[in-house]
Amino acid sequence: MSLSEERAAALSPETVVVAAGRPDRGHDAPVNPPIVLSSTYFGTGPLGDHDRGYGRYSNPTWDPFEEALAQLEGAALPGLLYASGLAAVSSALSLVPAGGAVVMPSHSYSGSLMMAGELADKGFLELRTVDIADTDAVKAMIAPDGGKPASMLWLESPTNPMLGIAEVSELTGAAHAVGAIVVTDNTFSTPLVQQPLSFGSDIVLHSVTKYLAGHSDVVLGALVTSDPKLRASLLHHRIVHGGIAGPFEAFLALRGLRTLALRIERSQASAAILAERLKDHPRVEAIRYPGLPSDPGYERAKAQMKGFGSILCIQISGDRRGGGAHAADRLIAALELWLPATSLGGVESLIERRRRHAAEPHSVPDNLIRLSVGIENVEDLWADLEQALKSLDS
Ligand SMILES: *Cc1c(COP(=O)(O)O)cnc(C)c1O
């Protein structure tokens, strides 16, 4: 027997990540879904929507992850796995009609901004960027006085890397009032911390590369929606543009998902401790972490998230040897446990000065360091940070 739909719906997310997407319980059947390596499937006669057909249309290895993610996000339909987060971004943006306006946070993930910017340069859409934490400004972009209403509102909250918090329900309502589609990039929060469909978002996007897979060993993306028409369009885009996941990557993503609840619990708790300590350190000029009561996003984050995530950003002050960016690079070079690398959401703590990327918006300060807190012992993480901060005094 597998769980009845009713019982499955009542499970808490910590159980869903472990229980969802299991094969049927036939005697001697494997308890984990197998990896299916086949580019095509037996079949004759006309191909229906539910036939597997060909390896670009579907693969049985995707299904368990797509079902598990939908259950976690509270979606009525299975999710859609993609080759990368950016392949998912591409599919979501394909829903914008020719010349339609897209409102995006000015501190969205840089790749999303770059893609929308390039489409705008070619005249395919109009891009309106805005400080997503400024609700009135966002509303003015969604429905400008006498101007064209937006076709899509892109939400990222918290933003990457500035950790701005949007007033999600309010903005979603304003977008729907003009018929715009709302897409929420939920990569930073995961469905365990924030469920965008519950506040009215039409589509949820994930870079599965980050927390969901969680081990920095796979690049994948996903979209989730409860709207059959939107899902059909997205699936069609995935088929004809070909941004599909490899079966082995899909298997790794589900394997990673099994420990998501434990990883989030540990890394969030550690991030809160590190934020408290870093905020008072003399070398830290500024800190952003929505879990600090002094943070501008604190009240909103408390109201709409279950926890505050495990990403924090600090700005390092300059000294007689150089400016803040130079000091930030020295700090990172002095670390022995933290890994100096881009990306986030893995079991290992990663640290990066964001402006090392040429594509990072210049409104991100050049001395800003993003910390993705992993699941190591928090005192070990702190000791490493403390010795590296101290090394700046010499
Ligand atoms: C990494 C990231 C993406 C892009 O995902 P990839 O898997 O790298 O293609 C999109 N949004 C956010 C918030 C991200 O952190």
Side-chain angles (χ1 to χ4, degrees):
M1 278 280 290
S2 290
L3 281 169
S4 66
E5 249 176 62
E6 198 182 338
R7 289 217 33 225
L11 297 174
S12 57
E14 303 93 276
T15 307
V16 173
V17 294
V18 177
R22 296 277 175 193
D24 287 338
R25 304 182 170 205
H27 180 71
D28 276 347
V31 299
N32 285 308
I35 301 176
V36 177
L37 296 171
S38 190
S39 63
T40 189
Y41 308 95
F42 290 114
T44 54
L47 207 59
D49 278 351
H50 296 287
D51 294 322
R52 292 216 177 268
Y54 179 58
R56 185 160 29 77
Y57 309 163
S58 77
N59 183 298
T61 321
W62 303 340
D63 302 352
F65 183 86
E66 293 181 336
E67 281 160 26
L69 185 57
Q71 207 176 329
L72 290 169
E73 291 286 7
L77 301 168
L80 291 163
L81 201 51
Y82 287 84
S84 66
L86 261 260
V89 171
S90 170
S91 211
L93 284 176
S94 76
L95 298 171
V96 180
V102 179
V103 176
M104 257 197 186
S106 40
H107 289 122
S108 293
Y109 176 69
S110 55
S112 312
L113 276 172
M114 198 188 293
M115 190 185 301
E118 286 176 9
L119 292 170
D121 288 346
K122 290 179 178 164
F124 294 162
L125 54 79
E126 183 194 327
L127 176 61
R128 301 176 184 161
T129 59
V130 63
D131 174 2
I132 208 70
D134 184 343
T135 302
D136 289 339
V138 182
K139 283 182 171 173
M141 294 276 184
I142 293 170
D145 259 346
K148 185 171 64 178
S151 301
M152 181 175 279
L153 169 65
W154 194 272
L155 287 176
E156 210 181 296
S157 178
T159 54
N160 180 5
M162 298 301 279
L163 303 175
I165 306 285
E167 221 170 329
V168 288
S169 293
E170 181 85 13
L171 296 180
T172 302
H176 284 163
V178 299
I181 298 170
V182 180
V183 179
T184 304
D185 185 335
N186 205 28
T187 301
F188 267 38
S189 297
T190 83
L192 270 64
V193 176
Q194 172 171 276
Q195 288 179 304
L197 297 180
S198 74
F199 58 68
S201 187
D202 300 295
I203 298 171
V204 180
L205 184 146
H206 284 281
S207 169
V208 176
T209 314
K210 315 293 170 53
Y211 289 98
L212 299 183
H215 293 71
S216 304
D217 55 5
V218 53
V219 176
L220 281 175
L223 296 175
V224 183
T225 180
S226 286
D227 183 318
K229 275 202 183 133
L230 290 178
R231 190 179 186 281
S233 302
L234 296 168
L235 173 59
H236 179 77
H237 182 273
R238 186 176 71 176
I239 290 172
V240 302
H241 288 252
I244 57 160
F248 184 57
E249 284 76 1
F251 168 86
L252 283 176
L254 184 67
R255 181 184 159 95
L257 191 73
R258 299 300 188 208
T259 54
L260 179 68
L262 280 175
R263 289 186 281 110
I264 294 278
E265 189 181 319
R266 165 66 78 96
S267 61
Q268 277 200 147
S270 298
I273 294 169
L274 296 177
E276 264 310 319
R277 295 182 189 176
L278 285 165
K279 88 176 192 319
D280 297 324
H281 197 283
R283 301 303 308 233
V284 176
E285 188 178 277
I287 181 163
R288 286 179 183 80
Y289 181 64
L292 288 173
S294 55
D295 192 89
Y298 176 73
E299 290 299 335
R300 278 185 195 166
K302 206 168 75 167
Q304 63 201 31
M305 295 164 73
K306 286 177 260 168
F308 301 100
S310 36
I311 306 287
L312 50 110
C313 287
I314 52 174
Q315 284 171 247
I316 300 296
S317 49
D319 52 29
R320 59 193 157 77
R321 289 178 55 171
H326 183 70
D329 285 340
R330 278 172 58 215
L331 169 80
I332 290 171
L335 289 165
E336 291 164 0
L337 177 60
W338 290 74
L339 272 62
T342 196
S343 198
L344 55 103
V347 291
E348 60 287 288
S349 293
L350 298 179
I351 191 161
E352 178 181 46
R353 186 172 72 82
R354 282 302 295 174
R355 283 282 298 283
R356 68 189 273 257
H357 299 273
E360 192 72 0
H362 283 206
S363 49
V364 173
D366 68 353
N367 63 345
L368 181 133
I369 295 178
R370 185 181 69 195
L371 294 86
S372 168
V373 180
I375 62 169
E376 303 92 336
N377 178 291
V378 67
E379 295 305 333
D380 290 337
L381 290 175
W382 173 245
D384 194 30
L385 280 174
E386 207 178 23
Q387 66 79 19
L389 282 162
K390 196 158 192 292
S391 77
L392 296 180
D393 294 338
S394 61

